[in-house]
Amino acid sequence: MTQQTRNWQFDVTMDHEPRRTRAQIVLRAPEGYEFSGVGLAHRSGPARVSGYLALGRAMSDLTEELLEAAMIELEVEADRVWSS
């Protein structure tokens, strides 16, 4: 059994505005695919707290995008197998 390691890269951007914080997380796969998630948080306290919320929401959004991509890939593969 051969073990294969591949690196994925995350880039996180945080924009702190007076009333809200916006986070964007971009995930780059080795094959060149890119996935992105965005999260917003109302800023009523420390920027750090709204940053945590915005980033958590961006990660949740990214998770949804990855799950959707996986479902699509599985459906394509199933169609390929069934039509063979």
Side-chain angles (χ1 to χ4, degrees), residues 9-66:
Q9 180 182 342
F10 281 104
D11 289 318
V12 176
T13 304
M14 299 279 264
D15 295 317
H16 295 282
E17 298 173 4
R19 304 202 84 167
R20 73 174 188 155
T21 299
R22 180 185 187 276
Q24 180 173 14
I25 185 166
V26 177
L27 174 61
R28 290 181 181 81
E31 300 87 8
Y33 296 111
E34 239 183 52
F35 302 94
S36 178
V38 174
L40 300 172
H42 179 73
R43 188 168 170 197
S44 59
R48 182 180 69 253
V49 174
S50 62
Y52 295 159
L53 288 170
L55 184 55
R57 290 172 178 161
M59 289 177 150
S60 180
D61 190 35
L62 175 63
T63 299
E64 290 294 322
E65 188 172 330
L66 287 167

